[in-house]
Amino acid sequence: MKARKTTSLKKVMQFAKPYRARFVWVIIFAIALSIFAAVRPYLLKQTVDEYVLHKHESGLLNFVALMAAVLVFEVASQFYFVYWANWLGQDIVKDIREKLFGHISSFRMKFFDNEAVGRLVTRTVFDIESIAKIFSQGLFMIISDLLKMLVVLCVMFYMNWKLTLIVMLAMPILVFATRIFQKKMKGAFEEVRAQVANLNTFVQERVTGMKIVQLFNREEIEYEKFKDINKKHNDAWQKNILYNSIFFPIADTISQLTLGLIIWYGSTSILNGESITSSGDLFAYIWFIGMLFNPLRQIADKFNEMQMGIIASDRVFELLEMEELIQQSGTIEAGHFKGELQFDNVRFSYLEGEEVIKGINLNVDAGATIAIVGATGAGKSTIINLLNRFYEIDSGRISIDGTDINEFTLESLRRQIGIVLQDVFLLADTILNNITLNDPSISRENVINAAKAIGVHDFIMSLPEGYDYNVKERGVMLSSGQRQLIAFLRAYVSNPSILILDEATSSIDTHSEEMIRTATDKITKGRTSIVIAHRLATIVNADKIIVMDKGLIVESGTHYELINREEGYYKNLYYSQFAVEAP
């Protein structure tokens, strides 16, 4: 366990390398703070012994002024120490968070199929904030406290070694209590982090799916589940509170008993006329004991903050070290494709041993529009996922213009493929930014011209702020059809070589469907297009229709070829939907 913690801390410290100068200054200010803090009690001793007891007024004023100057330097050192330590911590976690988000963004879709969104949010936000505490409330504070204790002990031994030995007798007891407390708190913190992740996951899923919760009257059931998870979270924190409630009173008791013993021993020696202790020593040691015991007591708490940060870093680096990345061995920069597609004996399974695509062969001519139809689960959308390399095929080959898609760089490949999905995802941003996705190469003028070209400009301008209208989270301010139109425009302005429409008209009203058909005719012209549709009436003019069933291509041809095939799969599917409209 110790080796694991050390390794995690080393990994975090790797991110501190760009900030070496700031790191050094934090240590310098920690040293200065320790020295100034230890000097003030010593000056107090000198003031009492040399000037107060001897009623030396002018010297007293000089020493008071000197103590005030030391205080100013101590306060300044503390300010810069705390400010720079927190600044350094925040810059480090900024870098870690950026690297983590970039790493997660490059994961294969299979990872997201199995990982809860709430847990990823916890890792990216809350766990990384805990890493910041390694610097702001953990490592540097511990270093500062240890330096302060070391300097204080040196000054104490210099002033009065006998009184210092009395203080030292109590320290092993406090160190032992601190160690036990630290071990107990470690387990409590691990439980807290686990329960926080569970709580985040539950809330994320229920808030996102609140419509389903309310639609099926699940409010009470989900509320009871939440109470159970929240109670476990509360119980985890109760352990934390219990251990704190036990430790700190014990630490305070040890400190006060030591102080009482020092005062008794020192006062007795003074009353007996012994020279081993002075009045100034007692004043200084009352101060010193607080400076020695308070940091020792608080180090346990700071160790816990640091430990919590290290536990969080374990979780973060576990993600950073995951080998879930999409294979990016391709070196060819994809230019504008002609659009000839070929699937050669392609096989794929989401779960090992359960094939979803079972050795399909498919050729698509450049510039052609093909439609893929079939029952739910036939493998239609999976083909699209494989073409975009969201998943890696088990065997076979997929090529564009005769080149294996694995030979293209992933970014350039996806740049040439535009997709309009059934479930359109919009950001809580303006329509313009949802269309361009903040791509600086796409100007506002380009977007407006594209919108006019496919017939959606008037719809956008009918909204309160036109292209600057904020659609809110997931585009809730727009209807399904309006979201689809935005998705069509988003695909169109990217000028892809290949266009994919995945169930793009399956859940919209008739008026929106007419607009989308107009947009479809415009954006599919001159480019290879793949249309996946449940509404067979929307694909009767496709150059070729591919019929899939259980991961296999069972039929292919034009609408009229397939509709006239005796006992054909497509014919039965078509008549089951449009018997009244059948010729």
Side-chain angles (χ1 to χ4, degrees), residues 122-193:
T122 300
R123 302 293 178 268
T124 309
V125 180
F126 300 104
D127 282 341
I128 288 186
E129 281 303 319
S130 294
I131 294 176
K133 293 180 181 179
I134 292 178
F135 299 93
S136 62
Q137 300 177 34
L139 179 65
F140 289 132
M141 295 298 177
I142 291 171
I143 291 174
S144 176
D145 286 344
L146 291 175
L147 282 172
K148 187 183 294 184
M149 291 169 62
L150 178 62
V151 174
V152 164
L153 277 174
C154 290
V155 174
M156 288 171 68
F157 271 111
Y158 173 75
M159 285 175 51
N160 192 317
W161 66 270
K162 290 185 178 179
L163 290 181
T164 305
L165 286 177
I166 294 174
V167 176
M168 292 292 290
L169 290 174
M171 290 188 69
I173 301 173
L174 187 54
V175 170
F176 178 72
T178 300
R179 184 59 181 162
I180 294 176
F181 174 67
Q182 183 186 351
K183 288 182 178 179
K184 293 293 184 180
M185 288 298 290
K186 177 185 176 298
F189 277 135
E190 287 181 335
E191 179 65 18
V192 165
R193 297 314 300 168

Side-chain angles (χ1 to χ4, degrees), residues 333-348:
E333 285 291 324
H336 198 78
F337 294 132
K338 292 179 182 178
E340 181 181 345
L341 305 178
Q342 188 170 4
F343 287 68
D344 294 323
N345 195 29
V346 173
R347 294 181 178 275
F348 171 74

Side-chain angles (χ1 to χ4, degrees), residues 339 341-343 362-373 383-384 387 498-501 524 527-533 538-548 553 556-558:
L341 305 178
Q342 188 170 4
F343 287 68
L362 173 64
N363 293 303
V364 182
D365 295 332
T369 297
I370 71 162
I372 303 178
V373 301
I383 288 181
I384 307 309
L387 182 61
I498 299 168
L499 180 68
I500 298 169
L501 307 179
T524 57
R527 56 170 56 92
T528 303
S529 303
I530 302 175
V531 181
I532 296 176
T538 63
I539 47 93
V540 294
N541 294 322
D543 297 315
K544 182 188 288 187
I545 297 173
I546 306 298
V547 185
M548 294 192 67
I553 295 176
S556 67
T558 66

Side-chain angles (χ1 to χ4, degrees), residues 144-336:
S144 176
D145 286 344
L146 291 175
L147 282 172
K148 187 183 294 184
M149 291 169 62
L150 178 62
V151 174
V152 164
L153 277 174
C154 290
V155 174
M156 288 171 68
F157 271 111
Y158 173 75
M159 285 175 51
N160 192 317
W161 66 270
K162 290 185 178 179
L163 290 181
T164 305
L165 286 177
I166 294 174
V167 176
M168 292 292 290
L169 290 174
M171 290 188 69
I173 301 173
L174 187 54
V175 170
F176 178 72
T178 300
R179 184 59 181 162
I180 294 176
F181 174 67
Q182 183 186 351
K183 288 182 178 179
K184 293 293 184 180
M185 288 298 290
K186 177 185 176 298
F189 277 135
E190 287 181 335
E191 179 65 18
V192 165
R193 297 314 300 168
Q195 293 305 326
V196 166
N198 291 337
L199 194 61
N200 286 337
T201 300
F202 185 89
V203 173
Q204 169 88 21
E205 290 178 347
R206 270 57 181 187
V207 170
T208 303
M210 188 56 69
K211 184 181 291 185
I212 298 299
V213 172
Q214 294 182 358
L215 183 64
F216 288 92
N217 297 315
R218 297 277 302 181
E219 293 94 335
E220 286 298 324
I221 295 174
E222 298 302 328
Y223 175 68
E224 291 300 323
K225 287 183 179 179
F226 177 80
K227 283 174 62 177
D228 182 58
I229 294 174
N230 195 39
K231 184 179 184 305
K232 290 179 181 178
H233 176 263
N234 180 262
D235 290 343
W237 272 111
Q238 289 297 332
K239 288 182 182 179
N240 185 305
I241 294 169
L242 175 63
Y243 297 145
N244 277 284
S245 300
I246 293 173
F247 173 74
F248 288 108
I250 290 175
D252 285 337
T253 301
I254 295 171
S255 175
Q256 294 305 311
L257 287 174
T258 304
L259 178 59
L261 187 59
I262 287 290
I263 292 173
W264 172 80
Y265 179 79
S267 300
T268 301
S269 66
I270 293 172
L271 292 174
N272 292 333
E274 299 173 3
S275 61
I276 59 173
T277 307
S278 68
S279 298
D281 286 340
L282 290 182
F283 276 97
Y285 269 71
I286 291 171
W287 205 339
F288 275 138
I289 288 174
M291 295 175 65
L292 195 63
F293 279 69
N294 286 341
L296 186 59
R297 185 192 69 173
Q298 292 168 4
I299 277 177
D301 198 34
K302 290 166 185 174
F303 260 117
N304 289 327
E305 291 288 353
M306 185 172 167
Q307 194 164 263
M308 198 166 185
I310 292 173
I311 291 169
S313 71
D314 287 342
R315 300 171 186 269
V316 170
F317 285 109
E318 182 183 356
L319 266 182
L320 280 172
E321 293 166 0
M322 276 188 177
E323 296 296 332
E324 291 288 345
L325 303 180
I326 301 168
Q327 298 175 16
Q328 299 198 46
S329 57
T331 58
I332 301 174
E333 285 291 324
H336 198 78

Side-chain angles (χ1 to χ4, degrees), residues 430-432 435 444 447-448 451 457 460-461 465-469:
T430 64
I431 284 182
L432 179 66
I435 294 168
R444 188 185 189 93
V447 173
I448 293 174
H457 176 71
I460 294 175
M461 293 307 296
E465 297 173 70
Y467 288 88
D468 297 314
Y469 181 63

Side-chain angles (χ1 to χ4, degrees), residues 57-87:
E57 187 173 346
S58 61
L60 176 63
L61 290 175
N62 291 335
F63 256 73
V64 169
L66 180 59
M67 290 176 65
V70 171
L71 176 61
V72 169
F73 284 116
E74 182 184 351
V75 170
S77 298
Q78 185 171 24
F79 168 78
Y80 283 109
F81 168 72
V82 173
Y83 177 75
W84 283 50
N86 280 273
W87 183 19

